[in-house]
Amino acid sequence: MRRKPLCKTIVASFISLILTSAYAATTVPMYMIDAKGQGKSIGSIKIEDSLCGVLITPDLHDLPPGLHGFHVHQKPSCGDRGMAAGDHLDPDETGEHNGPYRKLGHLGDLPVLVVDQAGNATIPTLAPRFKLSKLNGHSIIIHEEGDNYADSPKKLGGGGPRIACGIIGEGAL
């Protein structure tokens, strides 16, 4: 019985090593959004190129438990309660919110962020349509609610207000 969890850990570590060996990476400091824009630090998100897009590894704390909409936004700003970050990154101007796995839709749609009951988010996820070089000069926004990867019944997946933000640095490569 004790070997199975150890084996899963070893396999997961091996896969992560293979996916990310010798690829560019950056760390994005993340902050709660308050009336001034950038509030208290809640940790960071490591983003690294991989064979399958970018691997996103959050190391976040003090978030509300549950699923949260998680997106790359157009502008590198957290001002105006996160609204200065602009809309979801959509360089092809699709105007559609279809989630991270469909080719047609906002490029900025990421897999939902999973926050445990203690307020921590540490589960890595892949964004298959990205390369790190496409992320620089934008921001990452965490929304209050989940994301259904559609524009119905609520626009932009129903994520609601922006609660946390981080700016992806220009010199990250």
Side-chain angles (χ1 to χ4, degrees):
M1 289 279 180
R2 297 178 97 177
R3 289 185 181 174
K4 286 185 182 180
L6 179 59
C7 289
K8 286 181 183 179
T9 301
I10 291 170
V11 169
S13 297
F14 180 70
I15 289 170
S16 178
L17 180 65
I18 288 173
L19 286 176
T20 61
S21 284
Y23 288 98
T26 191
T27 300
V28 180
M30 295 294 294
Y31 301 90
M32 291 303 287
I33 294 172
D34 65 15
K36 297 177 185 175
Q38 181 176 306
K40 74 173 188 164
S41 172
I42 57 167
S44 63
I45 297 173
K46 183 177 181 182
I47 304 172
E48 50 197 319
D49 277 326
S50 77
L51 295 172
C52 303
V54 292
L55 179 64
I56 301 169
T57 307
D59 185 11
L60 302 172
H61 52 82
D62 297 326
L63 287 165
L67 300 178
H68 296 274
F70 191 42
H71 307 102
V72 174
H73 284 249
Q74 296 171 332
K75 300 174 185 171
S77 178
C78 295
D80 190 22
R81 296 192 183 273
M83 297 308 291
D87 294 329
H88 295 178
L89 182 61
D90 189 16
D92 294 331
E93 299 181 7
T94 66
E96 296 184 33
H97 181 75
N98 290 322
Y101 306 112
R102 293 185 182 165
K103 289 186 180 185
L104 184 62
H106 299 156
L107 183 61
D109 293 344
L110 299 175
V112 292
L113 182 71
V114 179
V115 179
D116 67 20
Q117 290 302 311
N120 301 311
T122 58
I123 299 172
T125 189
L126 277 170
R129 297 170 50 206
F130 270 115
K131 291 292 176 201
L132 183 57
S133 60
K134 290 183 180 180
L135 293 170
N136 290 323
H138 299 288
S139 58
I140 294 180
I141 296 286
I142 299 171
H143 292 267
E144 184 175 68
E145 299 173 27
D147 188 338
N148 68 2
Y149 304 138
D151 283 321
S152 178
K154 292 182 181 177
K155 204 77 172 127
L156 302 173
R162 300 167 187 201
I163 63 169
C165 181
I167 297 171
I168 308 166
E170 290 286 345
L173 292 177

